[in-house]
Amino acid sequence: MNVCIKADQLTVRFSQEPILDHLSFEVPEGMIFGLLGPSGAGKTTLIKVLTGQLCQKEGKAELFGKDTRSLTAAEHGKIGAMLDNCGLYERLSVYENLSFYADIYRVSRRGIPDILKSVGLYEARKTAVSKLSKGMKNRLSLARALMNHAKLLFLDEPTSGLDPVTTREIHGILTEERKKGTTVFLTTHNMFEAESICDYVILLHRGNIIERGRPADICRKYDHLNKLHITLTDDTELTLDNNSASASAIKEYLEQDRIRSIHSSEPTLETAFIELTGKGLQ
Amino acid sequence: MKNIIAIFKKQIRDTLRNKTVLIQFLMFPAMTLIMNHTVRIPDMPQNFFVNLFAAMYIGMAPLTSIAAVISEEKEKNTLRVLILSNVKSYEYLLGIGSYVWLACMAGSMVICISGHYDWKTGLIFMGIMAVGILISLLIGAVIGIGSRTQMMATSITVPVMMIFSFLPMLSLFNGTVAKIARFAYSEQISRMLGSINSFELTAERIGVIGANIFIAALVFAATFRKCDLS
Ligand SMILES: Nc1ncnc2c1ncn2[C@@H]1O[C@H](COP(=O)(O)OP(=O)(O)OP(=O)(O)O)[C@@H](O)[C@H]1O
Ligand SMILES: [Mg+2]
C-alpha cells in the first residue's frame, strides 16, 4: 500500500515550547485517518506543517514522498484542504466562491451544481456567504476542498459546532470519498466522530502521540476499564468490573430481586484518553 | 496568467458589493464632476477642482483600497487558502494590483474628462495619473502585506494617506511645508497637474518621482520577502 503522509520525529516549537513533540506516523492511501485530541493539542499546527504552511526545523514530514517544506504545484494539485477558519469570500455568493476556485483549480464549472447538491447547498447557491449559517459555511468550504478532485483531503474539525444531521451528512460525503480512493486526514475532538468514521486514529495530547490504532482495537485494549453500573431498589449505586469476578455478587442481587437497573460502560476512545492523561477530550 | 485573470474577475465582483472600496474609487471622480460644473468662484485658477481632486485621488484611492483588500484577505484567511491552492504570491498581487490600478485609471478618466483638455494634454494627464497611482499602489500594498488585520491596515493607512494627499494642499499655504513637500511624489504630481498646459519634465520632477518609485519598490520588496503573504 502506498504511503500518503509520513512524519518522522517531527517537532515544532513556538518559543522553545514543543507544540509537536517528535511525532512519527504514516498515513496509507485510501483511509480516513483521524487525529483526535483536545483543544490546544496541536492538531491545527500539524495540518499546517503537513500542508506546507508552517516549516518545522526538526524532524521530517513528507507528502507523497516529498518534503513538506518544499511542496510544488504537483503536490498542491493533489490536496484539498478545509481549514478551521473557512477562508471564504463573504460578499460573494456560494456559486461565485466555487466558480472562482474552479478557475484557480482549472476544473470545469459544470461540476459545481453536482458538488453543491452533494453538500446540500444547491438551493442556497445564490446566497451571499455572509448570510450563511456556520454549518452551511462548513459545508461550502468542504465543497471547495472537493472541487479539485484531490487525492488527499485535509479537514480541520469539519463538523465542530454542527448539528447531528449535518454532521451525519458530512460523514456520508467523507465515506463516499473514501470509496473513490481518496485519503482523508481529519482532526476532531469528538470521539464519536473518530469511532464512527475513522479507519485509524492517533490520540494527540500536548503534542505527543499517546495512543494509536484502529478505534475498535484501542477500545478493546482498555477492556479492563469495562464496568457494570448497578442501581439497587434502595437507590444504592454500585460499580463492578465487567468480568466473572462480579458474577456471584450480581447473582445474589438478582436472586434477591434488588436490581433496578444495570448498565455496562464499554471503553470508548474517551475512556482510553482519560486513562492515559487523566483528562477528558472536550 | 489564468490565476491573475481569475483573481482580477473575482475582485470586480467583490468590489461591486464592497461599499468602502467602491466609495474610494468613485468619490473623487464624482466630486470633480459635480464641483467643476456647479461651483464658480471668481478668479479661480483654471481647472482648480480637477487638479485638487486628481491629486487627492492619487493619494487616497489606490492606497486605501489595495491595503484594505490585501489585509482583509489576510485576516479572513482567504489568502492562505489561495496560496495553498497553488496561487503564487506574485500572481495574487498582480491580479489585485492590476485591478486596483485599472479601476483608478477609470476614475481618473472621469476626472480627465471634466477637465475638458485637448487630447494631447489629456494623454499627459492620464500618464501622470498612471505613475502616481502606481506609487500609491506600492505603498498601499506594503501596508496591506505588513498588517495582520484590516483594522491594523486602516490605522496605518489613514496617517500615511493624509500626509501624501494633504501635502500639496498645505504647501500652497506654508512655505516651510512646501520645501519639504518637494520631495514627495504627490507634491510633484500636483505641480505637474497644475501646470499641465505648459507641461515639461524637469530634472527635479524626474528625480523626485524616480526616487519615490525606487524607495517604494524597495520597501515593497523588503516587506514582501519578510512577511510573504501568510
Ligand atoms: N503561531 C503560534 N505561536 C505560538 N503558539 C502557537 C501558535 N499557534 C499555535 N500555538 C500554540 O500551539 C498549541 C497548539 O495549537 P493548535 O492550534 O495546533 O491546537 P489544536 O489542537 O488545533 O486546538 P483546537 O482544537 O482548539 O483547534 C496551542 O497551545 C497554541 O497556543
Ligand atoms: Mg485547531
Side-chain angles (χ1 to χ4, degrees):
Chain A
M1 203 183 287
N2 288 331
V3 173
C4 242
I5 304 173
K6 188 175 171 183
D8 188 17
Q9 300 293 318
L10 175 64
T11 304
V12 171
R13 293 176 205 275
F14 286 129
S15 46
Q16 296 307 310
E17 193 72 17
I19 300 298
L20 298 177
D21 199 358
H22 297 90
L23 302 188
S24 301
F25 63 90
E26 283 183 2
V27 180
E29 227 166 56
M31 64 158 55
I32 299 183
F33 188 96
L35 187 63
L36 183 65
S39 183
K43 305 183 294 292
T44 302
T45 309
L46 181 54
I47 285 199
K48 281 188 184 166
V49 171
L50 294 178
T51 50
Q53 298 173 62
L54 188 72
C55 292
Q56 83 282 10
K57 297 201 179 64
E58 297 165 62
K60 232 179 148 180
E62 287 179 356
L63 217 62
F64 306 108
K66 181 100 198 225
D67 194 312
T68 54
R69 286 168 291 194
S70 52
L71 296 180
T72 62
E75 288 83 40
H76 277 303
K78 284 191 241 174
I79 62 175
M82 169 183 178
L83 306 175
D84 54 352
N85 29 39
C86 325
L88 299 164
Y89 292 98
E90 299 266 327
R91 284 180 292 269
L92 299 187
S93 71
V94 167
Y95 183 87
E96 286 167 337
N97 266 278
L98 292 190
S99 67
F100 171 55
Y101 269 91
D103 292 351
I104 297 289
Y105 292 142
R106 315 270 193 282
V107 297
S108 161
R109 294 179 178 197
R110 260 171 294 169
I112 297 177
D114 283 339
I115 291 184
L116 281 177
K117 278 174 198 157
S118 77
V119 297
L121 283 177
Y122 186 72
E123 305 300 318
R125 64 193 180 282
K126 289 185 183 144
T127 314
V129 169
S130 56
K131 299 209 174 77
L132 299 182
S133 70
K134 183 169 188 289
M136 290 163 103
K137 284 184 189 170
N138 264 19
R139 279 181 282 158
L140 179 56
S141 81
L142 177 62
R144 183 185 56 201
L146 296 174
M147 285 270 295
N148 66 338
H149 310 292
K151 291 178 71 174
L152 173 59
L153 284 176
F154 285 101
L155 311 175
D156 197 357
E157 312 211 4
T159 60
S160 95
L162 298 190
D163 62 279
V165 177
T166 318
T167 301
R168 213 171 309 131
E169 280 166 10
I170 288 188
H171 288 174
I173 294 169
L174 296 185
T175 33
E176 269 311 302
E177 283 299 314
R178 176 181 51 191
K179 269 188 215 151
K180 292 186 210 157
T182 314
T183 313
V184 179
F185 184 99
L186 67 82
T187 73
T188 177
H189 51 230
N190 180 343
M191 54 150 181
F192 292 115
E193 177 156 58
E195 275 166 32
S196 59
I197 63 164
C198 293
D199 301 302
Y200 195 95
V201 294
I202 276 182
L203 266 53
L204 197 66
H205 179 60
R206 292 190 187 152
N208 290 288
I209 297 177
I210 51 170
E211 187 59 270
R212 63 177 87 204
R214 299 191 316 132
D217 291 345
I218 296 180
C219 295
R220 209 168 301 128
K221 198 166 151 190
Y222 292 87
D223 221 19
H224 59 276
L225 298 173
N226 198 338
K227 302 281 182 198
L228 290 175
H229 301 279
I230 300 170
T231 310
L232 302 181
T233 43
D234 59 1
D235 286 336
T236 321
E237 292 184 5
L238 303 165
T239 303
L240 301 174
D241 288 340
N242 189 353
N243 55 32
S244 52
S246 315
S248 59
I250 295 174
K251 179 166 179 273
E252 205 165 294
Y253 290 132
L254 278 171
E255 281 168 356
Q256 295 168 1
D257 243 347
R258 287 181 61 199
I259 292 181
R260 178 177 293 154
S261 72
I262 181 163
H263 299 284
S264 70
S265 61
E266 296 81 15
T268 60
L269 289 176
E270 176 131 39
T271 328
F273 195 89
I274 293 171
E275 172 77 0
L276 287 162
T277 66
K279 286 202 193 76
L281 275 166
Q282 291 307 319
Chain B
M1 194 61 198
K2 273 191 179 156
N3 285 348
I4 299 176
I5 295 170
I7 290 166
F8 187 93
K9 287 200 292 198
K10 182 270 296 177
Q11 205 51 44
I12 296 179
R13 288 213 182 86
D14 192 75
T15 307
L16 292 176
R17 283 163 224 166
N18 188 346
K19 288 191 202 77
T20 32
V21 171
L22 206 56
I23 286 172
Q24 285 297 329
F25 288 149
L26 299 180
M27 185 170 68
F28 286 110
M31 270 167 66
T32 319
L33 269 183
I34 296 167
M35 302 289 267
N36 212 35
H37 288 98
T38 55
V39 182
R40 287 272 168 270
I41 305 169
D43 300 329
M44 189 170 65
Q46 199 196 357
N47 274 334
F48 175 76
F49 287 118
V50 171
N51 295 337
L52 179 70
F53 290 142
M56 292 181 98
Y57 192 53
I58 286 181
M60 288 189 185
L63 207 146
T64 40
S65 47
I66 198 166
V69 169
I70 296 178
S71 59
E72 185 184 16
E73 293 231 32
K74 285 187 76 167
E75 179 173 356
K76 304 254 171 80
N77 275 303
T78 46
L79 191 51
R80 172 125 52 91
V81 181
L82 271 183
I83 302 289
L84 208 58
S85 311
N86 228 352
V87 173
K88 301 279 168 295
S89 310
Y90 75 86
E91 290 177 322
Y92 172 77
L93 288 172
L94 276 177
I96 298 291
S98 59
Y99 168 74
V100 174
W101 189 81
L102 278 174
C104 289
M105 285 305 276
S108 306
M109 197 70 163
V110 174
I111 302 180
C112 179
I113 289 168
S114 325
H116 303 291
Y117 298 112
D118 61 65
W119 69 269
K120 197 176 146 222
T121 320
L123 271 184
I124 296 174
F125 179 92
M126 290 303 284
I128 297 172
M129 294 301 281
V131 175
I133 292 170
L134 183 72
I135 302 176
S136 287
L137 263 186
L138 284 173
I139 300 174
V142 167
I143 298 173
I145 296 171
S147 318
R148 217 165 297 120
T149 64
Q150 218 178 341
M151 277 288 274
M152 194 170 151
T154 316
S155 63
I156 306 171
T157 321
V158 172
V160 171
M161 174 191 86
M162 293 286 227
I163 290 172
F164 284 116
S165 45
F166 287 120
L167 267 184
M169 221 197 327
L170 290 178
S171 63
L172 287 180
F173 306 115
N174 185 320
T176 332
V177 176
K179 274 186 204 134
I180 306 167
R182 271 175 52 201
F183 299 105
Y185 73 102
S186 52
E187 166 72 10
Q188 291 296 338
I189 278 172
S190 158
R191 287 186 195 179
M192 280 197 270
L193 291 174
S195 57
I196 197 161
N197 287 318
S198 54
F199 178 76
E200 56 180 330
L201 271 177
T202 60
E204 177 182 316
R205 285 172 181 170
I206 298 177
V208 169
I209 291 180
N212 272 259
I213 294 182
F214 183 73
I215 294 169
L218 214 64
V219 176
F220 174 78
T223 319
F224 185 66
R225 288 187 63 174
K226 183 162 167 274
C227 306
D228 207 339
L229 282 181
S230 36

